[in-house]
Amino acid sequence: DNRESKDLINQALEVVAALPENRCIAVRLKLQGFSHAEIAELSGWSEDKARNLATRGMHQLREQLKNLGLKR
């Protein structure tokens, strides 16, 4: 149902917001479809740092969603 979907989305957004600041930024940009090169350009980080933060942040996000029973 629509209410349940909104609750799940809100929980997922809370998980993203709780990530360490740089990982949160990288994950938000990655989820919006930005490439690692684009994240690097927008943030002022090196491409390696952007890739590392996005990859580790997405892994952390998946693990936390799984722990909450939200990953399908």
Side-chain angles (χ1 to χ4, degrees), residues 43-62:
S43 64
W45 302 323
S46 68
E47 191 170 342
D48 285 341
K49 181 174 180 174
R51 180 182 303 105
N52 183 292
L53 288 167
T55 300
R56 289 182 185 200
M58 291 298 291
H59 176 75
Q60 189 175 355
L61 174 61
R62 282 190 292 275

Side-chain angles (χ1 to χ4, degrees), residues 3 11 35 41 52 56 63-64:
R3 173 77 176 148
Q11 286 179 307
S35 69
E41 186 176 329
N52 183 292
R56 289 182 185 200
E63 287 299 310
Q64 290 183 9

Side-chain angles (χ1 to χ4, degrees), residues 7-8 13-14 16 19 28 35 39 49 53 61 66:
D7 287 344
L8 290 173
L13 291 173
E14 287 176 15
V16 172
L19 293 172
R28 286 178 183 268
S35 69
I39 294 170
K49 181 174 180 174
L53 288 167
L61 174 61
K66 187 170 83 173

Side-chain angles (χ1 to χ4, degrees), residues 16 26-34 58 61:
V16 172
V27 167
R28 286 178 183 268
L29 292 171
K30 188 69 176 166
L31 291 174
Q32 291 177 55
F34 289 95
M58 291 298 291
L61 174 61

